[in-house]
Structure formats: C-alpha cells, structure tokens
C-alpha cells in the first residue's frame, strides 16, 4: 500500500458503528485498518493467514459466510487486480453490502508495472468504474498517485454492469 491509498481511505472514513469489510487485508506494507476507528465491526479477509487477516477466504465466497446486506462499508484497496475472477469477487462484495452502504476501491492504472503478490491480472480506468457503477451513487472518482485510481460508491441498486474488459497485465 502506498501513502496515497492510505490518505484516500482516511478521507472517506467510516460512519460511527459501521460494519466494515476489507478485502485483501494482509498487511504486507501497511494497513488502512486504523483509518476506521469508529467501526463497530471490522473484518479483514485475505487468501492467506497473516497480520490483519481475520478470516482466510476468497472474496468470491463472501455470500457463503455473510448474509446479503450485512456490511455498511466494503474496502478493496490494491487488491482487485490480484483476483483472477474479479467479476465474481466484485459481485459477491456488492451482495454483502447493504443498500445505502459504501464501497471503496483503489486499483493501479496501466502505468503501474506488474507486481505479483501473489498474482497480478488487471488494470481499470476511471471510465471502467463509471460504467460498472453507472446506476449507483459515485461519490468520488479520482487519481490516487502514483499510478492508481480510487472510487467511492454508494449502493443504490443491486445492479452492476460487469460486461467490461479491463486491461490484462502482461
């Protein structure tokens, strides 16, 4: 995680008593967890055990473990590009987010070189996110330097438009 991602998530924060889910919570080079001190519950998931990981699982399996609408906020910072089946992971994350809840996604742009940890598959643009979340409330959509983008979305419907093809990292 870079300092810009940390600052982006710090600006959005959680509302008091929010239930927060962080996808890709393994603390490799920093954590965003302390940006959400007022959360009533904070669950960090990752595919491996380690520091800041509360539950080891794939994001695609979230609905098997949490009921629809359970979380008030879902965070995915510098993680979605590492998920081969990103559409299923995003759809599952959206399912466990309550109506009116917020999702924060930070991902690298095409300018960022491959960084396998353990894999690196995808790059999106702000335009991609605007298409995916076109029926939602896009609260923020901005560059997160260096070579990243961040979006903050309010869930207004269950609909996501996942018929886009992000840039495949080579």
């Amino acid at each position: 995680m870079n300092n810009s991602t940390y600052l982006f998530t710090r600006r959005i924060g959680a509302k008091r008593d929010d239930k927060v889910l962080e996808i890709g919570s393994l603390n490799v080079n920093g954590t965003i967890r302390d940006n959400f001190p007022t959360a009533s519950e904070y669950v960090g998931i990752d595919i491996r055990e380690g520091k800041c990981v509360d539950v080891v699982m794939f994001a695609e399996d979230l609905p098997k473990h949490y009921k629809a609408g359970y979380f008030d906020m879902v965070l995915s910072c510098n993680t979605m590009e590492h998920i081969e089946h990103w559409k299923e992971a995003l759809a599952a994350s959206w399912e466990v987010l309550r109506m009116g809840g917020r999702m924060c996604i930070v991902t690298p742009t095409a300018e960022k070189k491959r960084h396998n940890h353990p894999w690196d598959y995808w790059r999106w643009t702000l335009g991609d996110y605007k298409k995916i979340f076109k029926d939602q409330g896009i609260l923020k959509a901005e560059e997160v330097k260096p070579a990243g983008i961040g979006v903050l979305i309010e869930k207004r419907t269950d609909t996501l438009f996942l018929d886009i093809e992000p840039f495949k990292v080579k």
Side-chain angles (χ1 to χ4, degrees):
M1 175 189 52
N2 61 50
N3 192 47
S4 297
T5 298
Y6 181 84
L7 294 174
F8 182 79
T9 59
R10 186 176 192 154
R11 286 196 330 262
I12 64 169
K15 296 176 183 170
R16 182 160 300 283
D17 298 327
D18 272 357
K19 293 180 194 168
V20 177
L21 169 67
E22 182 185 355
I23 299 165
S25 63
L26 180 64
N27 184 345
V28 175
N29 57 358
T31 180
I32 60 172
R33 188 178 286 244
D34 59 336
N35 282 338
F36 303 90
T38 62
S40 65
E41 182 177 351
Y42 193 105
V43 177
I45 70 162
D46 209 300
I47 62 170
R48 304 177 282 201
E49 290 183 350
K51 188 175 181 185
C52 297
V53 177
D54 302 305
V55 181
V56 175
M57 65 181 295
F58 290 99
E60 299 92 317
D61 294 333
L62 281 163
K64 295 176 186 174
H65 299 272
Y66 298 97
K67 67 180 182 177
Y70 183 81
F71 291 99
D72 301 296
M73 176 172 268
V74 174
L75 307 165
S76 176
C77 295
N78 302 311
T79 300
M80 202 59 67
E81 71 271 17
H82 299 290
I83 301 175
E84 183 175 14
H85 303 288
W86 71 271
K87 291 179 183 183
E88 292 83 355
L90 187 57
S93 304
W94 198 249
E95 184 177 333
V96 299
L97 180 65
R98 75 167 170 80
M99 201 61 68
R102 298 179 303 154
M103 177 178 278
C104 173
I105 300 174
V106 178
T107 54
T109 61
E111 291 82 43
K112 173 101 175 165
K113 302 237 185 286
R114 176 182 287 278
H115 59 286
N116 289 332
H117 191 68
W119 310 282
D120 190 9
Y121 298 106
W122 313 107
R123 298 292 185 269
W124 292 265
T125 65
L126 284 175
D128 291 334
Y129 286 124
K130 288 177 180 178
K131 288 177 189 173
I132 292 169
F133 298 109
K134 69 181 183 178
D135 285 352
Q136 312 308 324
I138 298 175
L139 306 174
K140 287 187 186 300
E142 61 190 60
E143 289 184 29
V144 177
K145 297 196 185 243
I149 52 175
V151 291
L152 178 64
I153 308 104
E154 179 182 58
K155 183 176 180 178
R156 295 185 178 166
T157 73
D158 289 325
T159 306
L160 293 177
F161 294 92
L162 299 174
D163 60 343
I164 66 144
E165 288 301 320
F167 175 77
K168 179 85 167 143
V169 178
K170 297 179 181 177

